[in-house]
Amino acid sequence: MKKAVTLLGIGAMLFGVMTTDALAKEYKLKMGMVAGTSSNEYKGAEFFAKQLAEKSNGQIKLALYADGQLGDDRSMIEQLSGGALDFTFAEMARFQLFFPEAEVFSLPYMIKDFDHVHRATFETDFGKDLLEKIDSQLGIKVLAQAYNGTRQTTSNRAINSIKDMKDLKLRVPNASSNLDYAKYSGAAPTPMAFSEVYLALQTNSVDGQENPLSAVKAQKFYEVQPYLAMTNHILNDQVYIVSSMTLESLPADLQQVVKDAAVAAADYHTKLFVDEEANLKEFFKQQGVTITEPNLDEFKAAMKPAYDKYIAKNKAVGQKAVDEISALVK
């Protein structure tokens, strides 16, 4: 009889465990992005979603919305801030929409490489202060940072030195750092919608454009631009960000799952871009593109007016940003 009671008790305990597992709360979350489904960004997001599902034992299900379905990047950042969206991507420089000093991350030649931007973000006092503002004032947490390519310059004439930039009609997005790169290198900055660039290059309405190598391939600019200069003028990062409301609504163990999954996804995301860039130079050569390696010290020296303008606008915090980030490469 005693043995029967014991077995009954064990059975009840096992039923309790099974019931708890069966009734474990599911969290259906959403991530929006501007990038399309064939992009490396989307592949990174898919990896993130898979990690969340696996590490949470199916409790977190992440739905992805690509191609700007939920709005542009500014709109989605604001949706995170208000708790209407759970995750999205952003560049650290994009936070200049809310904190002007964040523009430092996109100043031409301020950032040397991905390790540099990562240290600037997470190790400097300036970076830590900015992350705290993003959290406390926007209600957004930066979970991890990925590499998203470095901007290079294609053209219809060879760029062997900064002198070859003179009067080059260079298409740039209508953003201050890209405009400054063109202006202070001696080119004629020509803002234009991205969708119009191929035709403008094909018809010589503009002489060149600047974008990461992945975009040069995706948009087939190599078909209408015989030269590629490795100008390395602006490094693009991509941070995985979450609404603080979302993160704080999760139990502690799942909050850790989210943080770990974001770091793993950012590492994968970075590898996609690094591997792709390593192969793309050879691809462009095979397409008949001539690749040049101009002296970048000349370009960086020419950007001093852009730095001066940034510091004048942001005062002490701007000077601190430039000084701390520059000191990391000395």
Side-chain angles (χ1 to χ4, degrees), residues 63 174 231 252 276:
N174 194 18
T231 49
E276 182 178 52

Side-chain angles (χ1 to χ4, degrees), residues 15 58 74 117 188 247 273 293 311:
F15 178 77
R74 177 174 189 155
V117 74
L247 192 63
F273 273 93
E293 306 267 357
I311 292 169

Side-chain angles (χ1 to χ4, degrees), residues 95-114:
F95 286 107
Q96 68 185 280
L97 291 166
F98 313 96
F99 311 109
E101 65 269 25
E103 182 189 357
V104 72
F105 288 102
S106 63
L107 290 179
Y109 298 101
M110 172 54 63
I111 301 297
K112 181 181 179 182
D113 53 27
F114 178 61

